Amino acid sequence: MSNQDRSTGNATPVMPRQIPFIIANEGCERFSFYGMRNILTVFLMTSLLLSVPEEFRKGEAKEVFHTFVIGVYFFPLLGGWLADRCFGKYNTILWLSLVYCGGHACLALFEHSKTGFYTGLFLIALGSGGIKPLVASFMGDQFDQSNRSLAQKVFDGFYWIINFGSFFASLLMPIFLKEFGASVAFGIPGILMGMATFAFWMGRHRYVRVAPVNSDPHAFLVVIRDALWSQGASQTEARPGLWLLGLAGVLSACCLWSIPHIGVVAALCLVLVLFMTLGGAGAWRQLERVRGQHPDEAIEGVRNVLRLLILFALITPFWSLFDQKASTWVLQADHMTKPEWFQSSMMQALNPALVMILIPFNNFILYPMLTWCGVKVTALRRIGVGIAVTGIAWIVVAVLQLTMDGGNSLSILWQIMPYALMTFGEVLVSATGLEFAYSQAPISMKGVITSFWYLSVTVGNLWVLLANSSVKSDGVVAYIQTTGMSVTAFQMAFFAAFCLCAALLFSWYARGYRMLNNYRTS
């Protein structure tokens, strides 16, 4: 029970009046994003990349797609930092939304120009990625301890509206691309993004705005920096944190040297992952050295954030699998039997449609039933089960691929089963994770921590790029041939095993995680 509930009896929590403006913004924005994303692979294969030899075109299209997704989920770091430290969430969302609109305009205007089209993808990645952690955390800011019990329901509703927009985008945009061409198909999402920006602006006088923290001598990065450079009690005491940071530098140099083999984006993402992982481990080793230089609350706050980032890291395999439904699964669907009017990418509409069914089913039937049976449905348990179920979905899709590789013809309806399994996993992981990330983040780091949640998507797509790069190696291809499987089927089986191992590690680590309640008090 919250403090307000204790002081007023059992006062009924009140829903903030400004929430509908944020929900409307998210519904339109998600239509715009998924509208262009879900036709991107098809457009690249059939238009923009026609100059690429056919045997390399599929791999090139997947690389462009996952590079774009990496950008979308990398720029949340920039957006989160700008909001928390400089401009506040409202201003950052509004300004980056205008950049987002400009990106859609480039896609519509430059359908025959790689430079213009890729510029549009960059602007969309910057705008969409920059606002991505902020809209969710800005919505969380509208709640406090008195009505936080409503927050998870609103986050579920938030995720429901995301998929409402995604459903119609997935269903309609392939038809618009086929019937009216790329300019119209990419222009319509731009109009929806303009509507999203207007809806958000309309609520400007009602929002609760948490002011940015321009300078904090005990901020997260300040404590991390001081811990890494601390010499301890004596000048001669070892500094393992700096050794780990140096190791990150050496390994990063190796990654940059490997750019011709793995690509610039994959190499730079690996560098980021190495410095975050080894730098964080080094700071953890030396945190006690700055106790006294920084208050105990700041040091414990850093420990809590680092524990949280470990959980986020263990979720990255889920995103490796989930985002391939718009690339690998679409390319598999191209070789399945289907009605002449049905486009392969339209199958993705099944995912948001199932989300809209599963969210109310889980909240009103499944979770209450499990609670009645004595099973405690915690956020971390949901996420762990969701990762495992997604791995099972990929076992199914690998079996379908093996069947097709054996010369058997399969209907596209067979993809319904893996879509249903992966969507159930998505609801357990992604919808739950939004509120979980917000509730665990310190007040001054809401935008940044939510951006780290989305950064896990970037890392997940990085694993996809690395897997795609590895199968270009003659040695790896020769090994796959000894298994009797096609490269595609082997990769599907690999990702299934990758995800199931991650589910086991996540469940083991989550057992010792201490849940926090970091909603504002008023």
Side-chain angles (χ1 to χ4, degrees), residues 34 83 107 160 168 195 261 268 296 419 426 467 482 507 519:
Y34 286 110
L107 297 193
W160 190 93
F168 287 103
M195 293 171 60
H261 305 287
L268 292 177
D296 292 347
Y419 264 105
E426 174 198 359
T482 64
S507 299
Y519 280 84

Side-chain angles (χ1 to χ4, degrees), residues 305-498:
V305 170
L306 292 176
R307 290 187 187 102
L308 186 61
L309 295 185
I310 293 173
L311 285 175
F312 289 177
L314 293 172
I315 295 173
T316 59
F318 163 80
W319 295 113
S320 297
L321 278 63
F322 177 74
D323 278 325
Q324 288 189 76
K325 77 182 190 318
S327 57
T328 304
W329 287 21
V330 170
L331 296 173
Q332 183 189 64
D334 284 340
H335 300 287
M336 293 177 145
T337 60
K338 50 190 171 295
E340 187 176 341
W341 59 269
F342 192 86
Q343 305 296 308
S344 298
S345 54
M346 292 171 67
M347 194 66 179
Q348 293 176 82
L350 182 61
N351 170 248
L354 288 170
V355 169
M356 290 189 287
I357 295 170
L358 285 171
I359 284 180
F361 171 79
N362 287 354
N363 282 309
F364 297 112
I365 298 176
L366 180 61
Y367 298 155
M369 183 178 70
L370 290 174
T371 301
W372 182 79
C373 293
V375 178
K376 190 175 182 180
V377 184
T378 65
L380 292 178
R381 283 182 177 178
R382 292 187 204 178
I383 294 173
V385 171
I387 298 172
V389 170
T390 303
I392 294 170
W394 273 71
I395 292 176
V396 175
V397 86
V399 171
L400 297 181
Q401 187 65 42
L402 287 170
T403 303
M404 294 166 61
D405 291 341
N408 299 299
S409 178
L410 288 181
S411 167
I412 198 171
L413 294 176
W414 280 100
Q415 278 197 338
I416 292 176
M417 184 185 299
Y419 264 105
L421 287 169
M422 191 165 70
T423 302
F424 183 60
E426 174 198 359
V427 170
L428 294 176
V429 175
S430 192
T432 303
L434 281 173
E435 195 274 337
F436 172 75
Y438 181 87
S439 68
Q440 302 306 292
I443 297 295
S444 62
M445 292 184 64
K446 294 296 186 187
V448 171
I449 293 301
T450 311
S451 72
F452 277 124
W453 166 258
Y454 287 114
L455 183 65
S456 67
V457 185
T458 291
V459 179
N461 281 269
L462 169 63
W463 305 145
V464 178
L465 286 183
L466 293 176
N468 287 340
S469 297
S470 69
V471 297
K472 296 176 183 178
S473 164
D474 292 338
V476 174
V477 172
Y479 171 75
I480 294 174
Q481 288 174 344
T482 64
T483 67
M485 301 169 69
S486 67
V487 170
T488 300
F490 181 86
Q491 283 186 298
M492 289 174 171
F494 166 78
F495 278 115
F498 184 42

Side-chain angles (χ1 to χ4, degrees), residues 176 248 270 353 450:
F176 288 143
L270 271 175
T450 311

Side-chain angles (χ1 to χ4, degrees), residues 51-325:
S51 60
V52 177
E54 187 173 356
E55 63 269 26
F56 301 116
R57 198 177 302 154
K58 180 188 296 187
E60 182 76 12
K62 286 180 66 174
E63 186 165 331
V64 170
F65 176 84
H66 287 287
T67 300
F68 166 69
V69 173
I70 280 177
V72 169
Y73 291 96
F74 171 78
F75 283 117
L77 285 175
L78 175 63
W81 183 83
L82 289 174
D84 286 346
R85 293 290 177 261
C86 301
F87 307 116
K89 297 185 186 71
Y90 173 80
N91 290 327
T92 308
I93 292 170
L94 188 64
W95 297 339
L96 287 178
S97 292
L98 297 176
V99 173
Y100 197 165
C101 291
H104 278 296
C106 287
L107 297 193
L109 294 173
F110 299 110
E111 60 175 300
H112 300 300
S113 166
K114 281 188 178 181
T115 301
F117 194 84
Y118 289 164
T119 299
L121 289 180
F122 171 77
L123 292 176
I124 290 176
L126 175 60
S128 174
I131 71 172
K132 186 172 288 294
L134 304 182
V135 177
S137 59
F138 187 67
M139 185 175 71
D141 287 347
Q142 311 310 305
F143 294 88
D144 56 29
Q145 296 291 348
S146 69
N147 58 1
R148 69 153 299 192
S149 60
L150 298 175
Q152 181 60 61
K153 295 181 176 63
V154 172
F155 273 98
D156 282 341
F158 183 80
Y159 203 76
W160 190 93
I161 200 68
I162 287 174
N163 286 275
F164 180 81
S166 175
F167 171 74
F168 287 103
S170 302
L171 199 61
L172 297 176
M173 300 318 298
I175 297 175
F176 288 143
L177 178 64
K178 182 179 180 180
E179 299 296 329
F180 303 107
S183 291
V184 172
F186 287 118
I188 291 173
I191 294 172
L192 267 293
M193 187 57 218
M195 293 171 60
T197 306
F198 180 71
F200 182 74
W201 176 81
M202 285 287 289
R204 63 195 181 281
H205 297 306
R206 299 187 180 187
Y207 298 134
V208 173
R209 304 191 194 185
V210 177
V213 180
N214 294 314
S215 61
D216 180 0
H218 307 298
F220 175 78
L221 290 179
V222 175
V223 178
I224 290 284
R225 180 200 64 196
D226 291 347
L228 285 171
W229 289 99
S230 174
Q231 291 183 324
S234 68
Q235 297 289 331
T236 58
E237 189 172 347
R239 290 192 279 182
L242 286 185
W243 283 103
L244 288 171
L245 207 59
L247 178 60
V250 172
L251 294 175
S252 296
C254 295
C255 292
L256 296 175
W257 180 78
S258 303
I259 282 177
H261 305 287
I262 63 176
V264 175
V265 173
L268 292 177
C269 284
L270 271 175
V271 169
L272 175 66
V273 169
L274 286 169
F275 272 99
M276 286 180 59
T277 302
L278 296 177
W284 181 281
R285 291 284 304 275
Q286 299 183 187
L287 265 179
E288 288 302 317
R289 297 184 180 185
V290 294
R291 196 175 292 276
Q293 181 181 350
H294 295 286
D296 292 347
E297 298 80 24
I299 293 173
E300 289 309 308
V302 169
R303 288 198 188 278
N304 289 332
V305 170
L306 292 176
R307 290 187 187 102
L308 186 61
L309 295 185
I310 293 173
L311 285 175
F312 289 177
L314 293 172
I315 295 173
T316 59
F318 163 80
W319 295 113
S320 297
L321 278 63
F322 177 74
D323 278 325
Q324 288 189 76
K325 77 182 190 318

